[in-house]
Amino acid sequence: MLKKSILFWLILSPLVVVILFPFGVMFVSAFRPREELFTYPPTWTFSEFRWANFAEMWVKTNFGQALLNSLYVSVLSTLLAMILSIPAAYALSRYRFPGKRAYRTFLLMTQMMSPIVLVLGLFRMMVALGLVNTLNSLVLTYAAFNMAFTIWMLQSYFSTIPRDLEEAAWIDGAGHLTSLLKVFLPLAVPAMAVTAIFGFINSWNEFVLALTMIRSSDGFTLPVQIYSQVAGRYQIEWHHVMAATMLATLPVAIVFSWLQRFLIRGMALGAVK
Amino acid sequence: MASVTISNVGKAFGTMNVLRDINIDIENHEFVVLVGPSGCGKSTLLRMIAGLETVSNGEVRIGERVVNDVPARERDIAMVFQNYALYPHMTSYGNMSFSLRLRKRPQPEIDQKVRDAAATLNLLPFLERSPRQLSGGQRQRVAMGRALVREAQVFLYDEPLSNLDAKLRVVMRTEIKALHQRLKTTSIYVTHDQIEAMTMADRIVVMNGGRIEQIGAPLDLYDRPGNLFVAGFLGSPSMNFLKGRMRRTQGKAYVETEGGIGLPVSAATAAAENQPVICGIRPEHIAIAGEGGLPVTVDVVEPTGPNIEVFFSLAGQNGSAVFTERHKFRPGDRVALHWQPEHANVFDAETGVRL
């Protein structure tokens, strides 16, 4: 058993290095004084643990505004996607209706298309709606892009909740809505939490759409704001860029590691049945 | 408490008819068991009575009220499900009180009723546990308790014991029967287990292929099955079926097998001379004959404890007999058997109907 797991770790270790390397560089660069950024040969040590990088970066890159924008877009788009996905997933797992198979295939197919292919069309649509350069355009598009996934995921979990439970509730005297609120949804909370986190992370990390839809810098979300510190500049403040990247990654990393046990359980649930 | 009347009820899923022309009158206080092989439509019929399936045609009445279009929650019935269907996020107490809370009953009344039901079912120490902390038998009791607190018009049971181990099943069977004798709530019980049907029912409804084969009191069905299906379905080990032709001589009737052996049957049977028939005889009605019995060869001997089951061949046909005596038969032994003519059933070989 122990031998086996050591072997697995050995096989996986190159992968671990590849994944951790950029984080290492990010971490080291974020805490270095500016002068040590380009020392040659490169080292992993630094002379000073410079918290001040973060304070300077916060002001200089207008990080607070971008953080608020990212939070606004991610939270609202996740909420919107969930509100619309729960009934859709419920219908898919509980009712027979014409076109059900086609609908499921359609959901799967939308997942096979890259958002980049659709960017032009979406941009024109937002122009027509008068939403270009507003955060709400991102809320709408993110919710739409996430929904295929969230519906699919919720549906596979909902199908594992025995129908008998709802039937028992009806016989006990509950209407459809009451049985949904008091019996079904409480049991679906883990799945909903997992799915919501997935949606949130997707929205948090999205770049191409945000770059396209948002024209003015005070509407930038974090990925775009950080990108704007690098693209088209004569002088790039790498220590600020890295400090900003780190701050942007941290909340997601924390949430993810905290919730990964639910995540794995949630995904396995759909698979087992 | 109420009667349940099912008139000309049918059920179709798309073009497939799973139930046809079902007519059952269930009286107030009666315990009726629907029994049949899996896929015979018994569970579907129960779900139609519960309001969980629509009625394609015909009429279901609870008491005087036609309930075809009444939703489940307004039918005033209680149901025990095969997999218990306990709400996993509630305690035993929460499960049992759910229906009363929905009806917004005052808290002292809820408490009283749940505690009464729990006391009846020996559940008082487990009220604060969640379903996953309970054993199979306890879960089953909570599911029963949830039905009990309702004081519903009709209790419906959908194979409630099939998830329990053999020993517990026998215990719960007796408990459910005792409970019914005390409460006298009209009950409809679905099972595929003919022993459950025999032991619990006031009346049994034997179903097969979406139809009712026969309705009657357990021992009536057992002793006078209306057709081959009912005869073969009830009883374990099941009834012997021996093919032959009807013969009558000197006021006595018998079924002549291919090898010319005469199987004694009652002269009262309606079968005509020379008609191809099947003689049905229960294994426990077969005894060892002194002189001039039916010659059989012993194939296999299975001691079950209370009985010895002997599988034999008679004129090229297989049969079995059950003896309480400790006979020392060996495979290959030649033995003479007989039975009382009135114990034998005669069925039409073509239609399978009792003659």
Tab-separated table of all heavy atoms in Angstrom, chain B residues 203-227:
chain	number	residue	atom	x	y	z
B	203	ARG	N	-58.413	-10.991	2.543
B	203	ARG	CA	-58.653	-11.488	1.193
B	203	ARG	C	-57.417	-11.238	0.348
B	203	ARG	O	-56.750	-10.220	0.495
B	203	ARG	CB	-59.844	-10.766	0.559
B	203	ARG	CG	-61.176	-11.441	0.914
B	203	ARG	CD	-62.276	-10.950	0.012
B	203	ARG	NE	-62.373	-9.505	0.017
B	203	ARG	CZ	-62.954	-8.809	-0.959
B	203	ARG	NH1	-63.460	-9.442	-2.009
B	203	ARG	NH2	-63.031	-7.496	-0.879
B	204	ILE	N	-57.140	-12.170	-0.549
B	204	ILE	CA	-56.010	-12.041	-1.454
B	204	ILE	C	-56.517	-11.742	-2.854
B	204	ILE	O	-57.527	-12.315	-3.288
B	204	ILE	CB	-55.176	-13.347	-1.494
B	204	ILE	CG1	-54.581	-13.641	-0.126
B	204	ILE	CG2	-54.069	-13.267	-2.531
B	204	ILE	CD1	-53.764	-14.916	-0.086
B	205	VAL	N	-55.829	-10.827	-3.546
B	205	VAL	CA	-56.105	-10.593	-4.959
B	205	VAL	C	-54.868	-11.079	-5.711
B	205	VAL	O	-53.793	-10.493	-5.577
B	205	VAL	CB	-56.337	-9.097	-5.236
B	205	VAL	CG1	-56.564	-8.865	-6.725
B	205	VAL	CG2	-57.496	-8.576	-4.408
B	206	VAL	N	-55.017	-12.168	-6.460
B	206	VAL	CA	-53.867	-12.685	-7.209
B	206	VAL	C	-53.879	-12.037	-8.590
B	206	VAL	O	-54.884	-12.088	-9.302
B	206	VAL	CB	-53.925	-14.216	-7.348
B	206	VAL	CG1	-52.687	-14.719	-8.088
B	206	VAL	CG2	-54.012	-14.860	-5.985
B	207	MET	N	-52.768	-11.376	-8.930
B	207	MET	CA	-52.692	-10.675	-10.219
B	207	MET	C	-51.614	-11.305	-11.086
B	207	MET	O	-50.624	-11.824	-10.595
B	207	MET	CB	-52.389	-9.196	-9.990
B	207	MET	CG	-53.491	-8.466	-9.257
B	207	MET	SD	-53.113	-6.725	-9.024
B	207	MET	CE	-53.109	-6.169	-10.722
B	208	ASN	N	-51.835	-11.204	-12.392
B	208	ASN	CA	-50.836	-11.706	-13.343
B	208	ASN	C	-51.030	-10.997	-14.678
B	208	ASN	O	-52.149	-10.906	-15.169
B	208	ASN	CB	-51.007	-13.226	-13.519
B	208	ASN	CG	-49.961	-13.804	-14.431
B	208	ASN	OD1	-48.825	-13.344	-14.449
B	208	ASN	ND2	-50.341	-14.807	-15.191
B	209	GLY	N	-49.955	-10.462	-15.222
B	209	GLY	CA	-50.007	-9.831	-16.542
B	209	GLY	C	-51.045	-8.730	-16.659
B	209	GLY	O	-51.693	-8.599	-17.689
B	210	GLY	N	-51.222	-7.928	-15.603
B	210	GLY	CA	-52.142	-6.793	-15.684
B	210	GLY	C	-53.601	-7.150	-15.467
B	210	GLY	O	-54.484	-6.332	-15.674
B	211	ARG	N	-53.878	-8.404	-15.087
B	211	ARG	CA	-55.259	-8.823	-14.831
B	211	ARG	C	-55.363	-9.446	-13.452
B	211	ARG	O	-54.373	-9.886	-12.899
B	211	ARG	CB	-55.686	-9.912	-15.818
B	211	ARG	CG	-55.832	-9.463	-17.217
B	211	ARG	CD	-56.022	-10.711	-18.085
B	211	ARG	NE	-56.085	-10.337	-19.481
B	211	ARG	CZ	-57.179	-9.851	-20.062
B	211	ARG	NH1	-58.276	-9.699	-19.351
B	211	ARG	NH2	-57.165	-9.511	-21.334
B	212	ILE	N	-56.615	-9.520	-12.974
B	212	ILE	CA	-56.848	-10.249	-11.733
B	212	ILE	C	-57.121	-11.696	-12.080
B	212	ILE	O	-57.984	-11.997	-12.908
B	212	ILE	CB	-58.038	-9.640	-10.966
B	212	ILE	CG1	-57.660	-8.241	-10.479
B	212	ILE	CG2	-58.433	-10.522	-9.795
B	212	ILE	CD1	-58.780	-7.541	-9.761
B	213	GLU	N	-56.379	-12.608	-11.474
B	213	GLU	CA	-56.618	-14.026	-11.716
B	213	GLU	C	-57.726	-14.543	-10.809
B	213	GLU	O	-58.561	-15.314	-11.231
B	213	GLU	CB	-55.329	-14.828	-11.487
B	213	GLU	CG	-54.209	-14.514	-12.459
B	213	GLU	CD	-54.382	-15.227	-13.795
B	213	GLU	OE1	-55.265	-16.082	-13.921
B	213	GLU	OE2	-53.605	-14.903	-14.717
B	214	GLN	N	-57.671	-14.140	-9.546
B	214	GLN	CA	-58.680	-14.616	-8.602
B	214	GLN	C	-58.655	-13.761	-7.334
B	214	GLN	O	-57.599	-13.265	-6.945
B	214	GLN	CB	-58.418	-16.082	-8.231
B	214	GLN	CG	-59.628	-16.773	-7.623
B	214	GLN	CD	-59.378	-18.245	-7.341
B	214	GLN	OE1	-58.309	-18.780	-7.618
B	214	GLN	NE2	-60.386	-18.908	-6.777
B	215	ILE	N	-59.833	-13.592	-6.730
B	215	ILE	CA	-59.935	-12.889	-5.446
B	215	ILE	C	-60.597	-13.831	-4.456
B	215	ILE	O	-61.579	-14.486	-4.795
B	215	ILE	CB	-60.799	-11.617	-5.571
B	215	ILE	CG1	-60.246	-10.703	-6.656
B	215	ILE	CG2	-60.861	-10.879	-4.235
B	215	ILE	CD1	-61.046	-9.417	-6.835
B	216	GLY	N	-60.073	-13.897	-3.235
B	216	GLY	CA	-60.734	-14.739	-2.251
B	216	GLY	C	-59.965	-14.799	-0.953
B	216	GLY	O	-58.866	-14.264	-0.841
B	217	ALA	N	-60.547	-15.465	0.034
B	217	ALA	CA	-59.877	-15.649	1.319
B	217	ALA	C	-58.689	-16.583	1.104
B	217	ALA	O	-58.728	-17.450	0.234
B	217	ALA	CB	-60.848	-16.240	2.322
B	218	PRO	N	-57.614	-16.408	1.895
B	218	PRO	CA	-56.382	-17.168	1.647
B	218	PRO	C	-56.598	-18.675	1.520
B	218	PRO	O	-56.162	-19.280	0.548
B	218	PRO	CB	-55.525	-16.837	2.866
B	218	PRO	CG	-55.991	-15.507	3.312
B	218	PRO	CD	-57.444	-15.437	2.985
B	219	LEU	N	-57.329	-19.265	2.476
B	219	LEU	CA	-57.445	-20.723	2.427
B	219	LEU	C	-58.358	-21.186	1.294
B	219	LEU	O	-58.155	-22.260	0.733
B	219	LEU	CB	-57.924	-21.259	3.781
B	219	LEU	CG	-56.859	-21.111	4.877
B	219	LEU	CD1	-57.382	-21.620	6.214
B	219	LEU	CD2	-55.566	-21.833	4.500
B	220	ASP	N	-59.343	-20.364	0.945
B	220	ASP	CA	-60.180	-20.713	-0.212
B	220	ASP	C	-59.346	-20.787	-1.468
B	220	ASP	O	-59.482	-21.705	-2.269
B	220	ASP	CB	-61.295	-19.670	-0.412
B	220	ASP	CG	-62.364	-19.790	0.653
B	220	ASP	OD1	-62.342	-20.806	1.378
B	220	ASP	OD2	-63.200	-18.876	0.758
B	221	LEU	N	-58.468	-19.778	-1.647
B	221	LEU	CA	-57.626	-19.757	-2.840
B	221	LEU	C	-56.662	-20.932	-2.817
B	221	LEU	O	-56.368	-21.528	-3.840
B	221	LEU	CB	-56.816	-18.456	-2.935
B	221	LEU	CG	-57.577	-17.161	-3.145
B	221	LEU	CD1	-56.624	-16.076	-3.599
B	221	LEU	CD2	-58.672	-17.332	-4.167
B	222	TYR	N	-56.187	-21.238	-1.637
B	222	TYR	CA	-55.204	-22.312	-1.520
B	222	TYR	C	-55.857	-23.668	-1.814
B	222	TYR	O	-55.312	-24.474	-2.553
B	222	TYR	CB	-54.621	-22.303	-0.103
B	222	TYR	CG	-53.440	-23.224	0.081
B	222	TYR	CD1	-52.173	-22.814	-0.305
B	222	TYR	CD2	-53.594	-24.484	0.656
B	222	TYR	CE1	-51.073	-23.643	-0.140
B	222	TYR	CE2	-52.506	-25.312	0.827
B	222	TYR	CZ	-51.249	-24.894	0.438
B	222	TYR	OH	-50.175	-25.712	0.598
B	223	ASP	N	-57.052	-23.865	-1.258
B	223	ASP	CA	-57.690	-25.169	-1.409
B	223	ASP	C	-58.423	-25.305	-2.734
B	223	ASP	O	-58.510	-26.397	-3.280
B	223	ASP	CB	-58.676	-25.395	-0.251
B	223	ASP	CG	-57.952	-25.571	1.067
B	223	ASP	OD1	-56.760	-25.944	1.033
B	223	ASP	OD2	-58.557	-25.314	2.129
B	224	ARG	N	-58.983	-24.230	-3.217
B	224	ARG	CA	-59.747	-24.309	-4.461
B	224	ARG	C	-59.303	-23.228	-5.442
B	224	ARG	O	-60.060	-22.321	-5.775
B	224	ARG	CB	-61.244	-24.163	-4.170
B	224	ARG	CG	-61.831	-25.270	-3.299
B	224	ARG	CD	-63.296	-25.003	-2.999
B	224	ARG	NE	-64.081	-24.807	-4.230
B	224	ARG	CZ	-64.528	-25.796	-4.998
B	224	ARG	NH1	-64.289	-27.047	-4.669
B	224	ARG	NH2	-65.236	-25.554	-6.087
B	225	PRO	N	-58.053	-23.317	-5.925
B	225	PRO	CA	-57.567	-22.298	-6.863
B	225	PRO	C	-58.383	-22.327	-8.148
B	225	PRO	O	-58.736	-23.397	-8.634
B	225	PRO	CB	-56.110	-22.702	-7.122
B	225	PRO	CG	-56.045	-24.144	-6.755
B	225	PRO	CD	-57.053	-24.370	-5.681
B	226	GLY	N	-58.691	-21.166	-8.678
B	226	GLY	CA	-59.568	-21.050	-9.835
B	226	GLY	C	-58.896	-21.427	-11.143
B	226	GLY	O	-59.562	-21.704	-12.127
B	227	ASN	N	-57.594	-21.378	-11.163
B	227	ASN	CA	-56.905	-21.749	-12.406
B	227	ASN	C	-55.472	-22.180	-12.093
B	227	ASN	O	-55.020	-22.112	-10.950
B	227	ASN	CB	-56.932	-20.577	-13.397
B	227	ASN	CG	-56.349	-19.314	-12.787
B	227	ASN	OD1	-55.301	-19.358	-12.155
B	227	ASN	ND2	-57.043	-18.195	-12.963
